[in-house]
């Protein structure tokens, strides 16, 4: 699980490594989702603005939760501003666009929370399962290739994959009836790698 309190404590003391190594990629995904395909190139600008803003005001946050909410709010506001500028530049302002953007932002925030939970569950996997995860989902290797690399049988790889998915289900608090949800989450993760 991501320890936001530790990251926040480091951040308040001027150490930003934990923020960049643990949260930055998730914040970029969040910004990119908000900006959409036509403006996703501005994701880093939105995230960097949020980090700089929060760094300047880092002593005013009472908790890691308020700090994280502030980061997400600043990114959201930058995304809304970017959409407004983009739309006015094209003389293409629609009344319903803001409502749609708010809906998209709500979905993006929920997606971000889901990804945070999923990445935390993956980080908490025992080493042998994280290795299987990395080889299978991040590098896209087939079971036979993984077996060859790890010196296991193909059946052994399949069993470890099944056990890894079961551990993730438990860590995410899913029941067997939630398989469809789990498949959607896992396929989203696979799509990002």
């Amino acid at each position: 699980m991501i320890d936001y309190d530790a990251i926040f404590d480091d951040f308040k003391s001027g150490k930003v490594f934990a923020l960049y190594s643990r949260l930055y990629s998730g914040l970029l995904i969040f910004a990119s989702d908000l900006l959409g395909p036509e403006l996703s190139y501005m994701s880093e600008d939105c995230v960097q603005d949020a980090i700089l803003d929060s760094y300047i005001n880092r002593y005013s946050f009472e908790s890691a939760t308020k700090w994280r909410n502030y980061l997400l709010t600043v990114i959201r506001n930058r995304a809304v501003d970017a959409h407004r500028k983009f739309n006015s530049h094209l003389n293409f302002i629609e009344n319903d666009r803001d409502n749609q953007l708010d809906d998209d932002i709500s979905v993006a925030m929920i997606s971000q929370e889901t990804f945070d939970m999923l990445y935390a569950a993956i980080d908490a996997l025992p080493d042998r399962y994280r290795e299987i995860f990395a080889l299978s989902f991040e590098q896209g290797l087939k079971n036979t290739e993984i077996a060859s690399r790890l010196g296991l049988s193909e059946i052994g790889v399949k069993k470890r994959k099944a056990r890894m998915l079961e551990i993730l289900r438990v860590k995410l608090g899913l029941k067997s009836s939630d398989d469809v949800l789990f498949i959607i989450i896992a396929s989203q993760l696979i799509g990002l790698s």
Side-chain angles (χ1 to χ4, degrees):
M1 192 129 216
I2 296 176
D3 186 356
Y4 291 103
D5 291 326
I7 295 170
F8 175 64
D9 290 341
D10 281 353
F11 188 76
K12 278 184 86 166
S13 68
K15 300 174 188 169
V16 295
F17 178 79
L19 166 78
Y20 280 97
S21 66
R22 302 284 294 165
L23 300 179
Y24 190 74
S25 61
L27 293 173
L28 281 176
I29 291 168
F30 176 66
S32 182
D33 285 347
L34 294 177
L35 290 165
E38 68 273 359
L39 296 174
S40 64
Y41 67 92
M42 297 180 69
S43 297
E44 281 196 48
D45 292 343
C46 291
V47 173
Q48 289 295 351
D49 286 349
I51 292 171
L52 178 60
D53 247 355
S54 70
Y55 189 81
I56 291 168
N57 298 304
R58 68 187 181 274
Y59 299 112
S60 66
F61 301 109
E62 299 169 1
S63 68
T65 301
K66 290 185 179 185
W67 169 65
R68 185 169 181 278
N69 288 341
Y70 183 82
L71 282 170
L72 295 175
T73 300
V74 171
I75 292 169
R76 176 200 177 276
N77 290 342
R78 295 299 190 274
V80 169
D81 288 346
H83 274 282
R84 286 185 180 144
K85 288 177 185 174
F86 179 75
N87 288 335
S88 66
H89 177 71
L90 297 175
N91 286 329
F92 186 80
I93 298 174
E94 298 176 23
N95 292 334
D96 293 335
R97 180 76 172 156
D98 286 337
N99 292 338
Q100 177 65 36
L101 183 58
D102 286 341
D103 291 344
D104 291 347
I105 289 168
S106 296
V107 169
M109 288 179 89
I110 291 169
S111 294
Q112 179 61 37
E113 288 296 323
T114 303
F115 282 122
D116 285 350
M117 287 173 41
L118 184 58
Y119 287 129
I122 291 167
D123 284 344
L125 284 171
D127 289 341
R128 67 180 180 264
Y129 296 118
R130 264 198 326 262
E131 186 175 29
I132 293 281
F133 180 88
L135 293 171
S136 179
F137 297 115
E138 291 175 2
Q139 294 181 24
L141 298 180
K142 295 178 181 174
N143 289 343
T144 54
E145 296 169 316
I146 296 170
S148 173
R149 244 192 218 186
L150 299 180
L152 298 171
S153 68
E154 191 173 344
I155 297 294
V157 171
K158 288 179 182 179
K159 286 181 180 181
R160 283 193 184 180
K161 271 184 165 180
R163 179 66 183 134
M164 173 195 64
L165 292 173
E166 184 58 34
I167 291 170
L168 287 175
R169 261 191 208 100
V170 169
K171 288 188 180 294
L172 293 170
L174 300 174
K175 298 176 184 150
S176 59
S177 63
D178 294 325
D179 282 341
V180 172
L181 175 63
F182 184 73
I183 290 167
I184 291 169
I185 292 170
S187 68
Q188 286 292 324
L189 177 66
I190 294 164
L192 288 176
S193 39

